Amino acid sequence: MADGWNDPRNVWLSWLEGRGPISFETMSLFWGQSIETIQDWAQARAAEGVIVTGQLTEGVSDPELCLKKTWEQLVRRRRLQRRSSVPVRPVAELPLFLGRWQGLVHPDQDPGNLEARINPLIGLSIPADLWEEAILPSRTEPYRSAEFDRLFTEGGLRWFGAGPGRVILGFPEDRAAFGSGAASEADSLAVDQLFGASGAEVPFENLVRRSGRSTEAVTELVWNLAWKGLISATTFGPVRYGIRTGFQFERGTVETRSPRGFQRWSQARTQTGSWVRWSALGDRAFSNLSPLERTEDAKRRARLVLDRYGVVFRGLLAHEGPRFQWKELFPALRLMELSGEIVGGLFWRGLPGLQFATPEALRFVEGLGGGDEPPFWVQHAQDPSSLCGLGLEEFSQLPRRAAGTWLWWRGDTLVGTLSASGKRLDLISDLREDDLLHLTRKSSRLLFNGGQSRWDLETIDGRPASESTSVPALRKAGFQVHGERLLLWKA
């Protein structure tokens, strides 16, 4: 025992036996040691998997520590206490819950509320074209790109690349948390050559002048660095322009390094935009965070997916980015459960493994299954609310998680699929004429918003569209028979 009192760290684990979460300050006062000494010891033991640290107790803001085995016992006890009062719903209702939670079932009728629809999508990595072709138009009617642009110019919203052709929405301080790795020496040198020592926004044409390269070469370099999350435009305009050109230099539209070429770039500044290096926007490397800061960072990411889905489980996060995978967030989710911020247990009968939910989501779940007429709604197969391609046995009948595929729902029942960008319609259930009209008009708005000038419907239930018994109803929606196809022109 004398050795323990000479170096009390030798008996601290024994002292924590039988104790619940305790603050660093309390332990510091009891043992007469500095808080820094306690923190260093705790971080080392946490790395060994012996204790847990963080905000462990509901209503307590100061960081605490607790033996891991004691903490796990407390978590299990709390889970059992809450389980009896938590509603359990059949897993068949999960698609409708996610559709309602994310705003697809009842899209916002006020375009000015787009910010509220984007908030739960922060940190989501998806193909760049889907943002304005499917994701945002599914959540607000009518969708207006000007409102989206306003969030960049006035609200501080930013985008950054998450691999070729994929874009994440977030804020300057988010880059490290969302998983961009450290830049290679070659990439860092390329960024320095483009931006110099400047941390300010640089118009694209100035990047061309400064580099001494052709516009074609700079275009390729800029998008290569953007997909790695190292630079970004300050608006979404360049992404729109890049989608139209395949993120490549469009020969014949912009000349290389000629006065006329620069004049054209100037006229299309909203498309080429101003660019900035992410390190100039407050970026902080994840590797520089302390263990406690990493825990809090993981909690922040866990809150983002909870905002996005309401209820989370392993399979639901399969298509999230690396830092949002279940194994990355599970320790933080358990800490949040013990502190009372969220609830763990079983909420969807038929799904394997543990599930976590926010109290708001559980109240939302209780409101499902009412007596109202089930709503008709439309969902893209790659929408974050979609259960396509997640490998869940309960939803194996859903179509592939493919671009150009849309799902038609009546409440929690799949009634049809629209694939190949609208060319193939397969009806799973018989639809009344009014319901078919409603789904068709809603789908046409989404397809035309994605850039199509007409809807070319080639087959219905595997047969030429013109032979379908649904032709009279589709004519009322504006379709015209053209040989074996049905055509609907954008108004």
Side-chain angles (χ1 to χ4, degrees), residues 72 193 253 258 262 299 334 354 382 427 441 472:
E72 290 178 341
Q193 289 176 341
T253 301
S258 67
F262 285 123
K299 286 184 181 180
R334 293 215 297 174
L354 184 61
Q382 293 179 323
L427 297 174
R441 287 168 177 163

Short mmCIF file of all heavy atoms in Angstrom, two decimals, residues 72 193 253 258 262 299 334 354 382 427 441 472:
data_model
loop_
_atom_site.label_atom_id
_atom_site.label_comp_id
_atom_site.label_asym_id
_atom_site.label_seq_id
_atom_site.Cartn_x
_atom_site.Cartn_y
_atom_site.Cartn_z
N GLU A 72 -20.46 -0.15 -18.67
CA GLU A 72 -21.28 -1.06 -19.47
C GLU A 72 -22.43 -1.63 -18.65
O GLU A 72 -23.53 -1.84 -19.17
CB GLU A 72 -20.40 -2.18 -20.04
CG GLU A 72 -19.44 -1.68 -21.11
CD GLU A 72 -18.53 -2.77 -21.64
OE1 GLU A 72 -18.39 -3.80 -20.93
OE2 GLU A 72 -17.96 -2.59 -22.73
N GLN A 193 1.07 26.23 -55.53
CA GLN A 193 1.33 26.86 -56.82
C GLN A 193 0.10 27.60 -57.33
O GLN A 193 0.23 28.65 -57.98
CB GLN A 193 1.77 25.80 -57.83
CG GLN A 193 3.17 25.25 -57.57
CD GLN A 193 3.54 24.13 -58.52
OE1 GLN A 193 2.66 23.51 -59.14
NE2 GLN A 193 4.83 23.84 -58.63
N THR A 253 -15.73 26.51 -75.83
CA THR A 253 -16.50 27.45 -75.01
C THR A 253 -15.57 28.40 -74.30
O THR A 253 -15.82 29.58 -74.17
CB THR A 253 -17.34 26.69 -73.97
OG1 THR A 253 -18.21 25.80 -74.67
CG2 THR A 253 -18.14 27.64 -73.12
N SER A 258 -6.17 33.17 -73.73
CA SER A 258 -6.29 34.28 -74.68
C SER A 258 -7.21 35.33 -74.07
O SER A 258 -8.04 35.01 -73.24
CB SER A 258 -6.89 33.78 -76.00
OG SER A 258 -8.23 33.39 -75.81
N PHE A 262 -10.37 34.67 -71.51
CA PHE A 262 -10.58 35.22 -70.18
C PHE A 262 -11.87 36.05 -70.13
O PHE A 262 -12.54 36.10 -69.11
CB PHE A 262 -9.38 36.06 -69.77
CG PHE A 262 -8.18 35.25 -69.39
CD1 PHE A 262 -6.98 35.42 -70.03
CD2 PHE A 262 -8.29 34.28 -68.40
CE1 PHE A 262 -5.86 34.66 -69.68
CE2 PHE A 262 -7.18 33.51 -68.06
CZ PHE A 262 -5.98 33.69 -68.71
N LYS A 299 -19.04 12.22 -31.12
CA LYS A 299 -20.42 12.52 -30.70
C LYS A 299 -21.09 13.47 -31.67
O LYS A 299 -22.28 13.34 -31.98
CB LYS A 299 -20.41 13.13 -29.29
CG LYS A 299 -20.13 12.16 -28.17
CD LYS A 299 -20.25 12.87 -26.84
CE LYS A 299 -19.96 11.98 -25.67
NZ LYS A 299 -20.08 12.70 -24.38
N ARG A 334 -22.88 4.90 -27.45
CA ARG A 334 -23.08 4.31 -26.11
C ARG A 334 -22.84 5.34 -25.01
O ARG A 334 -23.55 5.35 -24.00
CB ARG A 334 -22.15 3.11 -25.93
CG ARG A 334 -22.51 1.95 -26.85
CD ARG A 334 -22.27 0.62 -26.20
NE ARG A 334 -20.87 0.39 -25.88
CZ ARG A 334 -20.43 -0.67 -25.20
NH1 ARG A 334 -21.27 -1.57 -24.77
NH2 ARG A 334 -19.14 -0.82 -24.96
N LEU A 354 -28.37 -3.88 -32.05
CA LEU A 354 -28.80 -2.75 -31.24
C LEU A 354 -29.16 -1.56 -32.10
O LEU A 354 -28.58 -1.32 -33.15
CB LEU A 354 -27.67 -2.38 -30.28
CG LEU A 354 -27.93 -1.28 -29.25
CD1 LEU A 354 -29.06 -1.65 -28.31
CD2 LEU A 354 -26.65 -1.02 -28.44
N GLN A 382 -31.18 6.24 -54.54
CA GLN A 382 -29.94 6.61 -53.85
C GLN A 382 -30.14 7.71 -52.82
O GLN A 382 -29.16 8.24 -52.29
CB GLN A 382 -28.89 7.05 -54.89
CG GLN A 382 -28.43 5.92 -55.80
CD GLN A 382 -27.42 6.38 -56.83
OE1 GLN A 382 -27.50 7.49 -57.36
NE2 GLN A 382 -26.45 5.54 -57.13
N LEU A 427 -45.38 -1.50 -62.36
CA LEU A 427 -46.40 -1.30 -61.33
C LEU A 427 -46.56 -2.58 -60.53
O LEU A 427 -46.84 -3.66 -61.08
CB LEU A 427 -47.72 -0.89 -61.97
CG LEU A 427 -47.70 0.45 -62.72
CD1 LEU A 427 -49.03 0.68 -63.43
CD2 LEU A 427 -47.39 1.59 -61.77
N ARG A 441 -47.33 13.00 -62.11
CA ARG A 441 -47.01 14.43 -62.08
C ARG A 441 -45.87 14.74 -61.14
O ARG A 441 -45.01 15.58 -61.44
CB ARG A 441 -48.28 15.21 -61.71
CG ARG A 441 -49.30 15.25 -62.84
CD ARG A 441 -50.65 15.75 -62.38
NE ARG A 441 -51.58 15.82 -63.51
CZ ARG A 441 -52.91 15.91 -63.38
NH1 ARG A 441 -53.44 15.95 -62.18
NH2 ARG A 441 -53.67 15.97 -64.45
N PRO A 472 -54.90 5.68 -70.94
CA PRO A 472 -55.87 6.78 -70.76
C PRO A 472 -55.51 7.70 -69.61
O PRO A 472 -55.61 8.93 -69.73
CB PRO A 472 -57.18 6.03 -70.51
CG PRO A 472 -57.01 4.72 -71.21
CD PRO A 472 -55.57 4.36 -71.01
#
